Amino acid sequence: MSPTNLPAGLEHGHVTFLGAGPGDPGLLTLRAVEALANADVLVAEHEVLDVVRMHARQGVAVLDTDPAAAFSSPSADTASGSSSGAYPGTGTALPTVVDGASTTAGVPAVRDAANLVMEAARGGKRVVRAVSGDPGLDTYAAEEMLACAAAGVPFEVVPGVAAAVGVPAYAGVPLRDAQGADVRFVDARTASDRCWTEVGASDGTVVVSSTLDSVAAAAGELVAAGRKPDTPLSVTIAGTTTRQRTWSATLGTIAQTLKQAKVLPSPDGHRPVIAVVGERSAAAQRDQLSWFESKPLFGWRVLVPRTKEQAASLSDQLRSYGAVPHEVPTIAVEPPRTPQQMERAVKGLVTGRYEWIAFTSVNAVKAVREKFEEYGLDARAFAGIKVAAVGEQTAKALVAFGVKPDLVPSGEQSAAGLLEDWPPYDPVFDPIDRVFLPRADIATETLVAGLIELGWEVDDVTAYRTVRASPPPADTREAIKGGGFDAVLFTSSSTVRNLVGIAGKPHNVTVIACIGPATAKTAEEHGLRVDVMAPEPSVHKLAEALADFGLKRRAAAMEAGDPVTRPSERRPGSRRRRTT
């Protein structure tokens, strides 16, 4: 039974046991996202907390089952209207919240978390219990399901992608071939001698769940049980995430391979790994089948000097290349110093002064919307006025306001692209010849000049001012100056000046990518070497150019027989010479 369709008067709440998959947020099912959006209480294992929390509604109480973590709620939205209290019908305290952040007192261990699941459900709460992989393979989840059944608490199970299946797929290691080889799954942490004997006697594929420091011992168990030492083996750590790393070896050489890779010995040896063993597992063909780790920017930390709202589509594009984008705003938006011009223009919209209004940024939409709200207006004030948006993100902001734009560039999403599709003024069909252009105080004149050339009169109005943003957190500043980022994308000269001003100059191992010659010149004036330049003045072309750079860099390393590394992994002290 879906938690959104509980019968009226039901005494108990509802528990959803949810598989969060092996790590990639994109592997959550649609049903999982739906359940998370309706949860009152979210109980999650620490390793999947970030994966599931992003889909939970505001006000959900969150319990991290890691004993070292905190029981917290992002909101003080409890039944009593305060930020602390107790679940209905229990003596179990709700978390204390300080400015929406976690606290660290009184964190229960996993078994205590199971008690909280039951108590919250008995109090009428909708509870989501999220586990790594699939709940059907989780011992604690199985015990908690039995407890729910015994207590008469309704529950459902939302399957997830099991790590033993998902991780090999991301490592480029298919588990079966055309001959349909037998596949066995073994948890080395609980496997008995009899289990090892059975899988050792088989010639099929074996998927072993282990830990980094015990995978070599598991390989030894298979050899002792009858497998040949030269049987191919792949070992993957942090599977399905951008930290994923895979080693190909054999049962007899895996210990030496991990030692040569300087992975072991390691204080991190307890980290889980998935090993795939077998002649037919395609482990030997991983170089051809490794689709995930071979992405052009795999694992690269890319600095994007824009706000999350501005960088949304760009960050998504970078993720598709395997990168980990990190947005750092370099500008802040403030109202114009003299609001009278903006006030007159908004009144002109209502009185029919304009044929068109053109929005060149999400900030422009926000500025007009705020002025509308100040006057008690809404989207109906746009009736009879044609609306243009410079790109998809601006168009989305307009739709959220209740306005569907009449014109969005069919090609390049820029002022130039907008002008290509903008119709010339026609005195026969256009009763009014004036365009309202709300924009930033530092915007270029490209659009104004182009509209005038097309025969339009333009009211070029400063709707907001852009000022330098506050410095980012200390750890981000250190990463920028210390080489912690692999690349930085500069989308304008102002982003160069402002980033250097608020955070310092990027380290010389960081790849510098610029949107055009003017931005590149500013970067060079600040002592930066420009490695990548977009072929066209488009943020998406800039991301494409960076991906192409990464692909060529990867190919060169492989051709030379060198390991593929990220720019930030260059040895300490190595420096790049600036070209003249």
Side-chain angles (χ1 to χ4, degrees):
M1 181 183 298
S2 171
T4 57
N5 298 308
L6 295 177
L10 184 67
E11 180 182 355
H12 296 311
H14 184 278
V15 180
T16 299
F17 293 94
L18 183 149
D24 182 350
L27 295 181
L28 279 177
T29 65
L30 293 175
R31 179 69 193 94
V33 172
E34 180 188 358
L36 288 165
N38 289 285
D40 300 312
V41 180
L42 172 59
V43 183
E45 295 178 353
H46 182 69
E47 58 266 33
V48 301
L49 184 57
D50 289 340
V51 172
V52 295
R53 198 206 300 256
M54 68 177 69
H55 296 287
R57 66 177 179 82
Q58 186 175 10
V60 66
V62 180
L63 170 59
D64 186 334
T65 61
D66 183 345
F71 186 18
S72 66
S73 166
S75 167
D77 182 19
T78 66
S80 64
S82 65
S83 60
S84 62
Y87 287 125
T90 78
T92 304
L94 281 171
T96 300
V97 182
V98 180
D99 293 334
S102 307
T103 59
T104 55
V107 180
V110 173
R111 294 295 179 133
D112 293 329
N115 292 334
L116 286 175
V117 168
M118 295 297 297
E119 295 293 343
R122 289 193 183 106
K125 300 287 185 181
R126 294 170 177 150
V127 184
V128 167
R129 175 72 163 102
V131 301
S132 177
D134 181 82
L137 299 175
D138 186 278
T139 302
Y140 290 125
E143 291 179 358
E144 291 166 24
M145 290 177 204
L146 288 171
C148 286
V153 174
F155 69 90
E156 67 173 327
V157 178
V158 177
V161 177
V165 176
V167 172
Y170 272 56
V173 184
L175 301 182
R176 306 189 79 170
D177 59 10
Q179 285 71 46
D182 186 26
V183 181
R184 303 286 187 92
F185 296 90
V186 177
D187 190 334
R189 294 159 291 192
T190 58
S192 63
D193 292 341
R194 179 181 175 183
C195 176
W196 288 118
T197 300
E198 288 179 355
V199 297
S202 166
D203 64 351
T205 298
V206 182
V207 183
V208 182
S209 300
S210 183
T211 58
L212 189 57
D213 55 4
S214 61
V215 67
E221 293 278 6
L222 286 169
V223 172
R227 286 295 181 110
K228 295 179 181 179
D230 62 354
T231 303
L233 166 74
S234 69
V235 175
T236 303
I237 191 169
T240 79
T241 75
T242 50
R243 302 182 307 279
Q244 175 176 308
R245 191 172 178 189
T246 302
W247 297 271
S248 296
T250 66
L251 289 175
T253 62
I254 185 59
Q256 185 64 21
T257 297
L258 294 177
K259 183 178 179 181
Q260 288 177 345
K262 298 181 180 179
V263 178
L264 290 175
S266 166
D268 240 3
H270 63 279
R271 294 179 65 186
V273 300
I274 297 294
V276 182
V277 182
E279 297 287 352
R280 301 180 185 178
S281 67
Q285 289 82 40
R286 209 185 75 82
D287 285 346
Q288 288 75 43
L289 300 176
S290 177
W291 64 273
F292 187 54
E293 290 174 60
S294 61
K295 287 189 173 187
L297 301 176
F298 183 78
W300 284 39
R301 290 187 70 201
V302 179
L303 184 67
V304 183
R306 312 181 99 192
T307 63
K308 286 187 180 296
E309 294 79 12
Q310 290 175 315
S313 61
L314 176 58
S315 292
D316 286 343
Q317 184 181 1
L318 289 170
R319 290 188 190 96
S320 74
Y321 299 138
V324 183
H326 186 92
E327 296 96 351
V328 174
T330 60
I331 62 170
V333 175
E334 294 184 357
R337 288 191 175 89
T338 55
Q340 290 83 2
Q341 188 185 23
M342 184 66 171
E343 291 170 356
R344 285 195 300 270
V346 170
K347 290 176 182 176
L349 277 175
V350 180
T351 58
R353 175 177 172 82
Y354 301 108
E355 180 77 8
W356 282 89
I357 179 171
F359 291 97
T360 57
S361 70
V362 172
N363 286 328
V365 176
K366 182 180 178 184
V368 171
R369 185 170 185 171
E370 288 175 351
K371 190 60 69 174
F372 270 35
E373 291 170 353
E374 183 181 327
Y375 289 138
L377 301 172
D378 57 28
R380 288 173 293 182
F382 287 105
I385 299 173
K386 298 185 183 73
V387 180
V390 75
E392 293 298 332
Q393 292 303 313
T394 304
K396 287 179 181 178
L398 282 166
V399 170
F401 187 15
V403 180
K404 183 179 179 181
D406 301 280
L407 176 62
V408 180
S410 56
E412 179 186 321
Q413 297 189 357
S414 66
L418 190 59
L419 284 171
E420 285 185 12
D421 293 345
W422 196 291
Y425 171 66
D426 188 327
V428 175
F429 295 103
D430 298 313
I432 305 169
D433 65 353
R434 193 168 293 275
V435 178
F436 173 24
L437 179 59
R439 58 182 192 145
D441 57 331
I442 59 171
T444 63
E445 303 299 321
T446 303
L447 186 54
V448 175
L451 290 173
I452 292 173
E453 189 173 335
L454 289 170
W456 296 93
E457 295 290 334
V458 182
D459 280 0
D460 183 14
V461 178
T462 298
Y464 60 93
R465 291 185 300 121
T466 54
V467 298
R468 183 175 290 179
S470 301
D475 57 345
T476 300
R477 297 198 302 272
E478 284 303 312
I480 291 171
K481 293 183 287 188
F485 286 101
D486 299 289
V488 56
L489 297 184
F490 286 121
T491 56
S492 67
S493 292
S494 63
T495 58
V496 178
R497 290 189 292 266
N498 290 340
L499 182 71
V500 173
I502 65 175
K505 188 167 69 172
H507 192 276
N508 56 14
V509 301
T510 305
V511 174
I512 305 298
C514 294
I515 200 167
T519 303
K521 181 180 179 182
T522 303
E524 290 170 348
E525 288 171 352
H526 284 78
L528 300 175
R529 168 180 168 176
V530 176
D531 302 283
V532 178
M533 191 183 303
E536 301 173 18
S538 158
V539 292
H540 298 295
K541 291 294 183 181
L542 177 58
E544 284 181 14
L546 180 63
D548 185 58
F549 176 90
L551 198 62
K552 290 177 180 176
R553 187 177 181 276
R554 176 185 178 84
M558 294 179 69
E559 185 177 348
D562 296 331
V564 177
T565 60
R566 303 191 311 274
S568 62
E569 293 177 315
R570 297 187 184 191
R571 71 179 188 275
S574 67
R575 301 183 66 85
R576 298 181 303 170
R577 293 182 180 177
R578 247 188 95 187
T579 56
T580 56

